[in-house]
Amino acid sequence: MARSSQPDLPMLPEITQAQGACHCGAVRFTVKLSDGLRTARRCNCSYCRMRGAVVVSAELDGITIEQGEDVLTLYQFNTGSAKHYFCSTCGIYTFHRRRSNNAQYGVNVACLEGISPFDFTDVPVLDGANHPADGGPRAGEQVGVLRFVASTAR
C-alpha cells in the first residue's frame, strides 16, 4: 500500500503565512509555514495519539508570538527534547518544537485562522511510536492515513 506522504488538500488555500490563536484568544501568533499546508501530518506516538492534532511545519524563526507569551505553558516528556506549548487559560495546544527536527515547530492547524483539521481529506500518520531519533526499521515512516469523509446527511 504505497501512499503519498503529501496530505490531500482539496480546496485549501495556498498559504505561506497565517494568524493563529488558542481557543480563548489569550495566545495569538503569526506563523510563516515552511511549505504551506503540504506538511500536514499526524503522529502515532503515545502523546500525539491522545492530543489528536494535525500539524504543519514552521522554521524556528517562523513563529512570532503577538500576545500571551506569559500564559503559554510548556510540557515535555520522555527525552524532553520536544517542547509542547499550551495556553494555560483554555488548555489548547498551539505549537511544539519538534523532536525529529529541532530546527522546526509543529503548529496545530486548528489554531490557524480559516483552517480546520477537517479541511483535509487524507492526513499522513507518521510512526512516532518508533521515533526516528530512537532508530528501528520503520522509524519516522508513514504508517497510515487519517481520513475525513463528510457526511451527506445534514
Side-chain angles (χ1 to χ4, degrees):
M1 175 172 130
R3 294 200 68 88
S4 166
S5 63
Q6 295 286 319
D8 185 1
L9 306 172
M11 298 184 286
L12 286 177
E14 277 292 323
I15 62 170
T16 57
Q17 185 168 308
Q19 297 301 119
C22 64
H23 187 260
C24 71
V27 176
R28 297 189 181 281
F29 59 93
T30 301
V31 61
K32 294 177 187 171
L33 301 174
S34 299
D35 191 17
L37 299 173
R38 287 178 282 284
T39 59
R41 64 199 176 278
R42 288 277 309 261
C43 173
N44 73 351
C45 79
S46 63
Y47 185 65
C48 291
R49 280 193 313 262
M50 294 178 114
R51 180 180 66 199
V54 173
V55 300
V56 290
S57 295
E59 303 306 313
L60 288 186
D61 63 355
I63 292 182
T64 304
I65 300 170
E66 308 291 344
Q67 170 186 308
E69 187 168 5
D70 58 324
V71 296
L72 281 174
T73 298
L74 171 65
Y75 176 70
Q76 294 174 273
F77 72 105
N78 194 12
T79 66
S81 22
K83 295 173 178 25
H84 304 269
Y85 295 95
F86 296 83
C87 171
S88 63
T89 304
C90 66
I92 295 298
Y93 151 70
T94 53
F95 51 86
H96 73 282
R97 185 157 180 184
R98 298 178 60 198
R99 180 178 180 215
S100 56
N101 182 346
N102 276 339
Q104 289 186 331
Y105 284 110
V107 181
N108 181 354
V109 299
C111 291
L112 302 180
E113 189 175 290
I115 305 294
S116 165
F118 303 110
D119 292 337
F120 300 84
T121 303
D122 290 344
V123 177
V125 178
L126 304 183
D127 190 0
N130 298 295
H131 198 278
D134 299 334
R138 295 189 55 165
E141 289 183 12
Q142 183 174 334
V143 293
V145 65
L146 181 69
R147 176 167 291 148
F148 176 72
V149 178
S151 172
T152 56
R154 296 232 175 222

